[in-house]
Amino acid sequence: MTAYRGAYESEKRPTLDELLADLDREELRELLKGLAARDSDLVDAIRVKVALMRPPPAGSAGARATVDPQAIRRRVSGVLHSLDRMRGSEAYWQV
């Protein structure tokens, strides 16, 4: 087992920048859509990041941010249901 682990650890894995460097716009878009389809939390994270990357619309200096209640419900539900597979004594320490 040690020999196998040593061989795996010595293998140089490309960085994320190296993996993404040769992808064009459409390939990046398809990659993000595919990953987001598997993880709804990623969709919410992408929404937040995109909103932060774009400048606010003109004249919205005093505007309040809108909150998607469905995203919050999904997140809370996911967190609460992640405790379902634990015994009560284990779940207690996770909260």
Side-chain angles (χ1 to χ4, degrees):
M1 182 69 151
T2 303
Y4 176 75
R5 186 179 300 143
Y8 179 74
E9 289 174 358
S10 66
E11 179 183 320
K12 184 180 183 304
R13 296 173 60 187
T15 65
L16 184 59
D17 282 336
E18 292 170 342
L19 286 172
L20 300 176
D22 293 332
L23 298 179
D24 64 19
R25 178 186 175 122
E26 191 58 35
E27 290 170 325
L28 288 170
R29 172 180 252 134
E30 290 302 316
L31 175 65
L32 278 173
K33 286 169 50 179
L35 291 172
R38 294 181 8 198
D39 185 0
S40 63
D41 288 339
L42 184 57
V43 174
D44 297 331
I46 291 171
R47 279 191 187 116
V48 169
K49 259 324 213 189
V50 168
L52 291 174
M53 292 169 67
R54 293 197 173 142
S60 66
R64 297 182 64 144
T66 58
V67 176
D68 181 9
Q70 282 299 102
I72 294 172
R73 283 189 191 103
R74 279 194 307 270
R75 186 68 174 231
V76 170
S77 177
V79 168
L80 292 176
H81 288 296
S82 70
L83 302 174
D84 289 348
R85 62 182 175 273
M86 296 181 188
R87 293 190 312 242
S89 60
E90 292 173 330
Y92 175 83
W93 295 105
Q94 299 298 319
V95 176

